[in-house]
Amino acid sequence: MIVVKSKRQIWLSALGIAGLVGMVTAAIIVYEPAIPPVARPSPSSFEVAEVKRGAELASIGDCVVCHSTDGGRPFAGSKALPTPFGTLYSDNITPDETTGIGNWSFAAFQRAMTRGVARDGSHLYPALPYEHFTHVDDADLQAIYAFLMTREPVKEVQPPNDLLPGLGFRPLLAGWKFLFLRKTAFVQDKTQNNEWNRGKYLVEGLGHCGGCHTPRNLLGAEEHGSDLAGGVAEGWIAPALDASNPSASRWDQASLFDYLKNGIAGAHSAAGGPMGPVAEGLSEVDDADVRAISTYIASRMKPAATPSAKTNANPAKAEGTTASKAATRTPASDAAKLFAGACGGCHMSGAPMETAGRPPLSVVSDLKMDDPRNAIKVVLGGITPAAGHGPYMPGFADALTDQQIADLLAYARSRFTDAPTWPDLAAKVSVIRKEDAK
Amino acid sequence: MTPSSHLPVTRRNFLGGAGIVVAFSLAGMSTARGAATGEAEPSGTGAVSVLPDDLQPFPYLDSWIRIDADGKAQVFTGKVELGQGIMTALLQVAAEELDMPPNLVSIVTADTTRTPDEGLTAASHSMQYGGPALRLAAANVRMLLLRTAASMLGVADTEVSTMGDGTIRASNGRSIPYGAVAASLSLHVEAVADAPLRQPKSYRSIGQSLPRLDIPGKVTGGASFIQDMRLPGMLHARVIRAPSEGMKLALPPRAEIEAIPGLHAFVQQGDFAAVVCEREWDAVSIMRQLMANPSQRQDENLPVGDIASILKPLPAKDYVIEKVSHPTAKPVKRLEARYTRPWYSHGSIGPSCAIAQMVDGELTVWSHSQGIFDVKRVASSLVGMPEDKVHAIHVQGAGCYGQNGADDAAADAALIAHLLPGRPVRLQWMREQEFGWEPLGAGMVTEAVAELDASNRIVTWNYDVWSPPHNTRPTTANGVLAGWEVTPAFPPAEKIPIPMPAGDGSRNSNPLYALPNMDVNFHFISNGPFRSSAMRSLGGHLNVFSIESMFDELAKAAATDPLDLRLDHMEDARARAVMMAGAEAFRWKTRRKESKFHGFGMGFARYKNLGAYCSVFLEISVEQNTGAITVLRAQTAVDCGEVVNPDGVRNQVEGGLIQSLSWCTREAMSYDTQRRTSFDWSSYPILRFQSVPIDIRVDVLPKPGEPFLGVAEASQGPTSAALANALADATGLRFRDMPLTPEKLRRALITL
Amino acid sequence: MTISLDVNGERHTVTASPDTPLLYVLRDDLQLNAAKYGCGLGQCGACTVHVDGNAVFSCLTPVAATVGRRVTTLEGLGTAEKPGILQQAFIDEQAAQCGYCIAGMIMRAQSLLSYNPSPSDEEIRQHMQPNLCRCGTHYRIIRAIKRASAVLANHQNKGDAT
């Protein structure tokens, strides 16, 4: 049985250990003073240009994704973050003075973002990725503060966190931070150009790409030295953003830009799972910043790392050209027939998705990965465009059985890639179906 | 009692009395009512001694009504059911004037061998023009039934009356059923114009919300649609075209195609190609296989950019729509604005379908086209057969909202059947073919300049509208895709705009408001970048959007209530009543903004200035951080004259409202230099359930005895306008370029 | 090849290629009208039927995948003479304009009521999100689903009472 922990699950599992360490150092590090409340700053006290910049930075930081419920008011929090240790609910970060951050001074906001401490001095769970935000410079934090403080205040109290006994004791978090939170100023790499440096700054800081794309150690912190080497997010595999990515050789700045800005790149695939909202957020961001992010990520994917078995640089397996001409169309195997009926309407050569330039399955990363998890999740749940338009795929959870989905995927893997067969597929489908049903 | 006597006379009286009316001429525009101008208004004389327009060419009563010996009536109409409920409403009209229970009446819709040719079922004409024709025919029949019964019963004509149950009773107590009377009565007689109509106070059918006849079948899986027709031995066809208009697909050699397993026949004539199979899935699969071949653009590249910069430079023919001048006080405020809408897809949920069969030298075509007699003419010219050897029969399809692919598919099917005689052939367009090839609702631009005097009277109204055609409905093979693909090809027909008063891109461009100085001009662009044709309300959508947006902009400049500004400039009593009734029901005067990004807006129009009056009031909230609009309340008031079926009217108005919200907030055909790039519902999103207004109310004003006014398109313009006005109220910003997408709104609102 | 299917409680045997989407088998082989071709892409819901009680897009469900499973179409809910509860509610609310989407709408709604007999407005809207209507009948459809829900509750109460 496979258990993939989300980033939140992993750091929570580390809380116990961190807590022990924390006890030792508690006297030194636990205490944080409350920062006095302020009257909510008048929205007109902020420059429009700064608010606009803050809006874009908040989109890069994707604040709205965790701080809103489906159908709820943006930034009003209360989104449930389920974990094996219980459920956390995100905070209301609208400027409501009683239930949100309306009476937070900039100093309080800055401390929360960079050190994970709320205005009243309590420690925040690292679901708020202050590991990354600690690298964000003050001017950018000022802009985000300006943006948040000019939102409409929403009165909404999030439900109390529902954690296992003991884990609700926030001073434990100080120990975790003592071990893993490193506040370092961003250092320019003089050998690289400004765009690259801007990209690195955004990726490591506000973008907190590593939150999903970096593996975590046993204590649930991101592994230093393995930046962007691949991680997990909400049950999905967040692929490596380095040369070990199965499609690394085909990603470049232009295709990354398309993917991040539009949620789809013709020679790759559509953003699915938790990446959907990320791309949706980036669609609101100035092209230059998205290009900078693309430039930096592309550079990380390029340096030829030691080729390993899994970094197959195989070119996309060309779809049989005869299929496009007049030739036999009768699918051979049962799986091929299943594929033709369930997937062919969109993914066969000549189907509308393909004639419209949507990515063919021969380039899709999910089919090339060593782990079938993402491919299974897409087939079960489909892809729902975050903004109501853009790439869409229906889910097949209700239409097909575990075995049928396994057969389909095995067929697609062998037809569209040169990668080896995925073992135990049906069992994996069954596990993921149960996870998704929760 | 004819429709043309109900032109908006008030403004003209006002102008005629006090100002200078500059005569304008529509010379050069076709005024003949024929198939080609079926969207145009009939040219009735308005005299009561003349038959209604639809009755004139078919004056014999048995063209319209037959009564069987068992007392059941069969009614024949050239109009067709499009999902608008017209079958039920027309049946009610006939039942009323025949004074029979509706369940004894059945209705036969457009069939070239059985029913009168009433032109298109379009332009909201069916009740307005088809209704009176059928009504008078039925009144004639009832008159004859009474006379015949009187003589059979041996009493005077004045001594008999119909009882509403299909019998006639004499004052002496004797009665006789219609069936017995009909047996000795010939209905092959011409209608007279003065047959007595039943009076509103004694109505039994008109005014009742008779449940739609077609709904029980549709909710239980009955064979309701052309897609559900299965003729013995029927084959399945798919037409093979490039993914988009303007492109051409390179096909492999014929022999290679013919070797594909599962293929029954490959049909090719010039650039027209189709695959025909015994099994439908084989046809789909083979079509896909052929679609994998490369396509190239044939026409010149498509222009990209904003719609005004694309349309305005194109060659246009200019028409003066309204030009009046009148001395006024000095203007003190001047506003200018440009409004636009993109190209829209009809977006029928069921892509176009047609069935055709060629047997013994006769071709029959079943189609869901709005112009079934034109289907016959098109097929006849396309395949080169005399019209009397071609039949066309209407069978319902999915809602079309104008000219979608229906006529093209009918021609495709006719051509395939002609090339493959014998068995019936069912042609189904695929969803992406509909998006790629159907005529679009035209993208448009308007520019308005208005001036206010010191007392907030509008003293100047200058208005220009640029539009590609809204009416390229085919009447011969030169108007359908297949006609342009066969060898020798039928060169495309010259495009002519529908003349005023109905108008084309100019529809509703002349404000109904009483304005002393008006200069309204229409710039007709005969060759736009896309194929375009009729889509619900035609140019009326953007023209009403523009006029009603400008009225709100003026109201803001004048610091007056938008409703008051409208009423101050409206003399048509029915228009005023519709605005006031809507406002009253909506509680407009006591509205209160509850928060930032919460607001109210209204829109009004009389469709074409000839049809139904409709006011729309909306209460909305906008989410600043996402740009998402929530319509909290929608209230409309409608005056469509005499109401035959109130629930049917409500259904149409409510549907139009939701559809217009969809157009206004999210729809646009996307394209690049090579092709239309909207090909599915993810690239052409339409409104889904979560965006439906929280509350919708439609009030239909009772107008017993008034002529019917077409209502099915009445809410399109006012709704989009009301939304833009509510947005302006909620945000302080004016949005003039549809669609008003969340992305656009978010960009504008995020820093407010 | 020969395929055996369980549709609306009856066993049918059809000869079809196993990749054929269920939609075409229902329509062309079993001559059932309700499930409609709308897009063939799983985006509009006109083809919605139930497989083992769950709403699925029949245009993307290969017939071979339904062997040994229960398929239910709109025809399985009732007839024009004896409509099912939801069908009657759609008639009572006159919840159709062209009606092309309605079969799919009812099947989608039926799957909601089967696990949530008293859905809120918001739950109805969310559940119905996959199905498209172009005529703008949404508001009536929501009303019809609520009406059916009320009828179900009424039946339930009566059932409890007896």
Side-chain angles (χ1 to χ4, degrees):
Chain A
M1 168 165 158
I2 299 170
V3 177
V4 173
K5 292 178 179 171
S6 75
K7 56 177 178 173
R8 293 181 192 90
Q9 293 166 357
I10 289 172
W11 62 252
L12 275 168
S13 69
L15 278 178
I17 303 162
L20 282 176
V21 182
M23 297 283 261
V24 178
T25 50
I28 322 162
I29 58 166
V30 167
Y31 178 72
E32 291 282 357
I35 294 177
V38 295
R40 183 193 165 199
S42 155
S44 59
S45 65
F46 299 97
E47 296 287 334
V48 169
E50 180 161 55
V51 173
K52 185 167 184 292
R53 214 163 60 81
E56 294 208 0
L57 292 168
S59 290
I60 293 174
D62 244 347
C63 314
V64 74
V65 174
C66 287
H67 287 281
S68 321
T69 57
D70 287 346
R73 299 287 303 275
F75 305 112
S78 293
K79 180 166 178 153
L81 310 169
T83 79
F85 305 98
T87 303
L88 283 171
Y89 292 90
S90 60
D91 290 319
N92 179 350
I93 55 169
T94 70
D96 182 65
E97 286 173 272
T98 52
T99 63
I101 60 169
N103 59 6
W104 289 33
S105 61
F106 174 67
F109 178 73
Q110 183 190 39
R111 184 175 71 171
M113 289 288 279
T114 59
R115 286 164 54 203
V117 179
R119 188 198 59 75
D120 65 4
S122 61
H123 291 274
L124 295 167
Y125 289 89
L128 177 69
Y130 40 75
E131 282 175 277
H132 291 272
F133 295 164
T134 193
H135 305 304
V136 179
D137 69 35
D138 283 357
D140 284 352
L141 290 177
Q142 285 275 14
I144 296 170
Y145 179 73
F147 171 70
L148 290 175
M149 296 312 264
T150 50
R151 300 306 88 199
E152 287 289 283
V154 178
K155 195 170 289 297
E156 182 162 319
V157 181
Q158 69 271 30
N161 293 334
D162 183 17
L163 296 170
L164 291 178
L167 295 179
F169 184 63
R170 289 183 183 245
L172 295 179
L173 295 162
W176 193 93
K177 288 191 224 170
F178 176 73
L179 291 175
F180 303 119
L181 180 58
R182 294 286 173 271
K183 178 161 175 64
T184 49
F186 177 75
V187 183
Q188 292 265 336
D189 180 342
K190 293 284 193 299
T191 68
Q192 300 284 353
N193 65 17
N194 287 345
E195 185 173 67
W196 185 93
N197 275 294
R198 174 73 179 163
K200 183 169 194 283
Y201 167 76
L202 292 173
V203 165
E204 292 183 349
L206 267 181
H208 66 283
C209 306
C212 298
H213 289 277
T214 297
R216 291 180 184 263
N217 62 24
L218 286 173
L219 300 181
E222 293 176 25
E223 283 178 18
H224 287 291
S226 303
D227 291 355
L228 306 181
V232 291
E234 296 170 31
W236 294 72
I237 294 166
L241 303 182
D242 60 22
S244 71
N245 183 295
S247 304
S249 62
R250 295 184 300 107
W251 281 112
D252 57 19
Q253 194 245 25
S255 57
L256 282 164
F257 177 83
D258 280 349
Y259 181 79
L260 294 173
K261 186 84 187 179
N262 307 317
I264 190 163
H268 290 275
S269 47
M275 196 60 199
V278 173
E280 167 60 17
L282 290 175
S283 74
E284 298 158 357
V285 171
D286 185 56
D287 283 2
D289 274 348
V290 181
R291 204 168 287 119
I293 293 171
S294 311
T295 298
Y296 175 67
I297 299 287
S299 80
R300 294 193 55 99
M301 291 174 105
K302 276 299 163 262
T306 335
S308 71
K310 65 178 179 179
T311 65
N312 76 68
N314 293 327
K317 187 174 181 176
E319 176 126 15
T321 44
T322 48
S324 62
K325 300 287 178 210
T328 176
R329 67 156 204 93
T330 312
S333 67
D334 286 353
K337 288 168 186 158
L338 211 53
F339 180 88
C343 316
C346 299
H347 293 296
M348 269 186 169
S349 185
M353 297 288 165
E354 302 225 336
T355 55
R358 293 275 170 93
L361 290 180
S362 53
V363 303
V364 164
S365 299
D366 288 348
L367 282 177
K368 297 179 193 294
M369 294 167 80
D370 290 343
D371 191 325
R373 169 163 285 270
N374 286 6
I376 292 169
K377 283 186 77 80
V378 166
V379 173
L380 281 172
I383 296 173
T384 308
H389 60 85
Y392 164 89
M393 170 172 159
F396 288 82
D398 289 335
L400 301 175
T401 64
D402 294 345
Q403 187 61 52
Q404 287 165 348
I405 290 175
D407 292 348
L408 270 184
L409 284 171
Y411 171 78
R413 172 104 158 158
S414 74
R415 176 167 169 191
F416 296 106
T417 79
D418 290 330
T421 319
W422 279 318
D424 304 324
L425 260 179
K428 288 175 185 166
V429 175
S430 169
V431 167
I432 293 171
R433 186 194 287 272
K434 288 193 189 92
E435 282 174 28
D436 286 356
K438 279 178 193 160
Chain B
M1 287 290 283
T2 65
S4 50
S5 65
H6 285 269
L7 288 166
V9 289
T10 48
R11 182 183 73 238
R12 285 167 178 80
N13 290 347
F14 156 65
L15 295 169
I20 306 156
V21 177
V22 179
F24 64 98
S25 162
L26 294 173
M29 297 174 80
S30 166
T31 50
R33 185 181 189 223
T37 54
E39 293 265 354
E41 295 308 294
S43 49
T45 62
V48 283
S49 60
V50 172
L51 295 178
D53 294 277
D54 285 14
L55 200 51
Q56 285 174 23
F58 300 93
Y60 286 97
L61 296 178
D62 59 354
S63 307
W64 299 87
I65 293 163
R66 285 167 216 170
I67 296 186
D68 301 340
D70 61 0
K72 289 185 177 157
Q74 235 186 343
V75 170
F76 299 84
T77 172
K79 298 297 182 184
V80 302
E81 180 66 43
L82 306 171
Q84 80 284 45
I86 197 67
M87 243 175 18
T88 307
L90 287 175
L91 184 142
Q92 280 178 265
V93 168
E96 183 63 64
E97 291 302 339
L98 290 168
D99 202 16
M100 289 174 73
N103 63 5
L104 294 183
V105 183
S106 62
I107 191 158
V108 176
T109 55
D111 178 331
T112 56
T113 59
R114 301 175 73 192
T115 68
D117 178 0
E118 292 189 79
L120 299 170
T121 302
S124 298
H125 281 172
S126 300
M127 284 314 291
Q128 199 158 347
Y129 303 114
L134 186 57
R135 181 179 209 173
L136 188 63
N140 270 273
V141 170
R142 193 173 68 96
M143 181 180 76
L144 296 178
L145 283 168
L146 282 169
R147 273 188 208 157
T148 311
S151 84
M152 287 170 80
L153 295 171
V155 297
D157 287 2
T158 51
E159 297 295 302
V160 287
S161 48
T162 54
M163 304 308 296
D165 59 357
T167 65
I168 292 166
R169 183 176 295 180
S171 51
N172 61 17
R174 291 181 62 199
S175 78
I176 184 168
Y178 283 9
V181 183
S184 54
L185 170 65
S186 168
L187 291 181
H188 194 66
V189 294
E190 293 197 22
V192 296
D194 56 356
L197 299 177
R198 285 181 45 74
Q199 292 306 301
K201 61 181 187 309
S202 54
Y203 279 164
R204 302 183 217 265
S205 289
I206 288 182
Q208 302 297 310
S209 286
L210 183 71
R212 284 250 305 266
L213 308 170
D214 49 337
I215 287 183
K218 287 174 176 176
V219 302
T220 53
S224 304
F225 299 94
I226 189 168
Q227 284 88 350
D228 303 333
M229 268 182 74
R230 295 178 195 88
L231 297 176
M234 191 171 76
L235 293 162
H236 292 276
R238 292 294 181 277
V239 65
I240 310 296
R241 293 195 167 98
S244 162
E245 170 192 12
M247 300 184 86
K248 191 177 160 188
L249 182 72
L251 284 176
R254 188 182 182 101
E256 228 176 277
I257 296 172
E258 286 178 335
I260 301 176
L263 184 78
H264 174 77
F266 176 63
V267 172
Q268 200 170 18
Q269 210 288 50
D271 285 339
F272 177 89
V275 293
V276 184
C277 298
E278 297 279 353
R279 295 193 59 85
E280 191 167 9
W281 179 238
D282 283 334
V284 175
S285 302
I286 295 169
M287 170 196 167
R288 298 278 196 241
Q289 199 174 326
L290 297 175
M291 290 296 295
N293 289 286
S295 298
Q296 275 211 324
R297 182 142 189 99
Q298 293 298 292
D299 300 351
E300 60 185 271
N301 279 1
L302 291 166
V304 290
D306 72 273
I307 187 121
S309 67
I310 291 170
L311 287 186
K312 285 184 65 181
L314 293 176
K317 191 168 178 193
D318 300 334
Y319 296 91
V320 176
I321 300 299
E322 191 88 84
K323 194 165 179 67
V324 296
S325 64
H326 183 72
T328 61
K330 207 161 80 69
V332 296
K333 290 190 182 115
R334 176 188 169 88
L335 295 183
E336 289 186 30
R338 173 190 287 168
Y339 307 90
T340 67
R341 73 167 211 168
W343 275 275
Y344 287 134
S345 169
H346 296 85
S348 303
I349 298 299
S352 296
C353 181
I355 298 173
Q357 184 176 20
M358 178 84 182
V359 181
D360 300 333
E362 299 212 353
L363 178 63
T364 306
V365 185
W366 291 265
S367 164
H368 53 97
S369 165
Q370 290 175 278
I372 220 66
F373 288 82
D374 290 335
V375 166
K376 175 173 89 165
R377 294 177 192 113
V378 169
S380 144
S381 66
L382 178 65
V383 303
M385 284 172 61
E387 280 192 21
D388 64 356
K389 295 290 180 196
V390 181
H391 314 297
I393 300 168
H394 181 265
V395 189
Q396 265 190 73
C400 61
Y401 328 102
Q403 191 196 339
N404 63 356
D407 294 278
D408 296 302
D412 290 347
L415 182 54
I416 297 167
H418 186 251
L419 295 168
L420 202 66
R423 295 166 67 177
V425 179
R426 175 183 185 271
L427 170 70
Q428 170 73 63
W429 271 22
M430 303 302 279
R431 180 62 254 168
E432 65 275 14
Q433 292 181 314
E434 196 78 37
F435 273 125
W437 290 90
E438 64 147 6
L440 301 177
M444 294 171 65
V445 181
T446 66
E447 289 178 358
V449 178
E451 291 177 319
L452 290 167
D453 70 12
S455 56
N456 291 332
R457 302 290 307 179
I458 300 168
V459 293
T460 310
W461 182 272
N462 296 340
Y463 185 90
D464 288 86
V465 49
W466 288 262
S467 179
H470 290 263
N471 177 37
T472 57
R473 294 193 186 264
T475 55
T476 78
N478 67 5
V480 290
L481 295 172
W484 306 328
E485 291 165 341
V486 293
T487 308
F490 296 78
E494 191 198 346
K495 292 163 194 137
I496 300 163
I498 303 166
M500 293 299 278
D504 190 288
S506 53
R507 181 165 295 179
N508 275 104
S509 61
N510 48 339
L512 189 64
Y513 297 100
L515 305 175
N517 291 292
M518 284 194 277
D519 187 356
V520 177
N521 295 284
F522 173 38
H523 311 283
F524 176 73
I525 299 160
S526 61
N527 286 304
F530 295 108
R531 220 188 151 200
S532 60
S533 193
M535 182 160 163
R536 203 172 185 179
S537 79
L538 280 60
H541 177 240
L542 184 68
N543 286 321
V544 171
F545 179 86
S546 307
I547 294 168
E548 292 294 298
S549 291
M550 181 49 103
F551 259 73
D552 265 42
E553 299 199 44
L554 289 166
K556 188 177 179 186
T560 182
D561 186 287
L563 174 65
D564 293 341
L565 186 78
R566 285 174 173 82
L567 292 174
D568 286 348
H569 291 85
M570 179 58 73
E571 301 191 340
D572 183 320
R574 292 172 74 170
R576 295 175 61 89
V578 157
M579 284 194 254
M580 290 189 287
E584 174 74 22
F586 186 76
R587 302 184 301 279
W588 173 262
K589 282 293 180 184
T590 54
R591 70 192 188 281
R592 203 167 54 86
K593 257 179 88 106
E594 283 167 13
S595 59
K596 205 174 166 187
F597 305 119
H598 172 255
F600 304 84
M602 71 167 291
F604 161 82
R606 179 183 190 189
Y607 183 50
K608 293 187 278 190
N609 296 339
L610 294 169
Y613 299 80
C614 178
S615 65
V616 175
F617 295 80
L618 299 176
E619 176 182 353
I620 68 164
S621 67
V622 191
E623 176 49 62
Q624 176 190 24
N625 299 296
T626 60
I629 298 169
T630 303
V631 179
L632 301 164
R633 272 196 308 144
Q635 171 74 53
T636 84
V638 182
D639 170 359
C640 57
E642 176 117 76
V643 184
V644 173
N645 187 319
D647 189 63
V649 171
R650 283 194 290 271
N651 205 355
Q652 281 294 291
V653 171
E654 176 182 311
L657 180 138
I658 292 176
Q659 189 177 69
S660 180
L661 288 176
S662 182
W663 293 357
C664 179
T665 58
R666 61 204 72 207
E667 294 184 30
M669 171 56 64
S670 62
Y671 60 94
D672 59 23
T673 58
Q674 302 299 297
R675 57 170 286 189
R676 301 183 189 178
T677 53
S678 292
F679 67 97
D680 71 347
W681 297 116
S682 76
S683 47
Y684 191 90
I686 63 173
L687 183 141
R688 290 179 184 262
F689 273 89
Q690 286 183 311
S691 307
V692 172
I694 307 297
D695 186 60
I696 305 176
R697 282 158 209 252
V698 178
D699 289 348
V700 184
L701 309 189
K703 293 282 169 178
E706 289 287 339
F708 308 136
L709 300 177
V711 72
E713 302 165 85
S715 50
Q716 306 307 113
T719 303
S720 288
L723 187 79
N725 290 337
L727 265 176
D729 186 46
T731 66
L733 301 177
R734 174 57 58 176
F735 295 90
R736 302 186 182 92
D737 300 299
M738 290 185 274
L740 315 177
T741 60
E743 294 77 21
K744 203 180 273 180
L745 299 187
R746 183 188 180 277
R747 265 201 304 280
L749 304 182
I750 195 74
T751 54
L752 289 186
Chain C
M1 74 181 258
T2 306
I3 295 172
S4 181
L5 293 176
D6 171 356
V7 180
N8 299 330
E10 281 181 43
R11 187 144 292 281
H12 298 270
T13 304
V14 297
T15 304
S17 173
D19 58 324
T20 311
L22 177 62
L23 171 69
Y24 297 109
V25 172
L26 294 174
R27 295 190 56 81
D28 298 339
D29 295 297
L30 304 186
Q31 312 221 332
L32 294 171
N33 297 315
K36 294 283 189 286
Y37 169 73
C39 66
L41 307 167
Q43 298 179 346
C44 76
C47 68
T48 306
V49 301
H50 292 186
V51 174
D52 287 341
N54 293 315
V56 305
F57 300 118
S58 65
C59 72
L60 296 181
T61 305
V63 63
T66 65
V67 173
R69 306 169 76 190
R70 282 178 300 115
V71 176
T72 311
T73 70
L74 180 72
E75 288 91 344
L77 301 190
T79 61
E81 295 69 36
K82 205 167 180 295
I85 288 174
L86 253 174
Q87 291 168 321
Q88 186 61 51
F90 272 67
I91 295 171
D92 292 343
E93 292 290 346
Q94 293 285 289
Q97 289 186 48
C98 83
Y100 197 85
C101 69
I102 290 297
M105 291 287 178
I106 295 178
M107 294 313 284
R108 179 75 53 188
Q110 178 75 25
S111 73
L112 171 66
L113 294 182
S114 67
Y115 70 82
N116 181 0
S118 310
S120 67
D121 271 30
E122 183 44 42
E123 286 169 331
I124 293 172
R125 286 166 188 252
Q126 189 167 354
H127 181 88
M128 299 304 291
Q129 191 75 347
N131 285 45
L132 287 176
C133 166
R134 184 53 160 168
C135 295
T137 318
H138 310 70
Y139 195 66
R140 286 175 180 240
I141 293 170
I142 294 168
R143 283 213 310 256
I145 297 169
K146 288 167 73 170
R147 177 187 279 261
S149 166
V151 172
L152 281 171
N154 201 21
H155 282 200
Q156 191 67 44
N157 290 342
K158 281 182 187 157
D160 291 345
T162 48

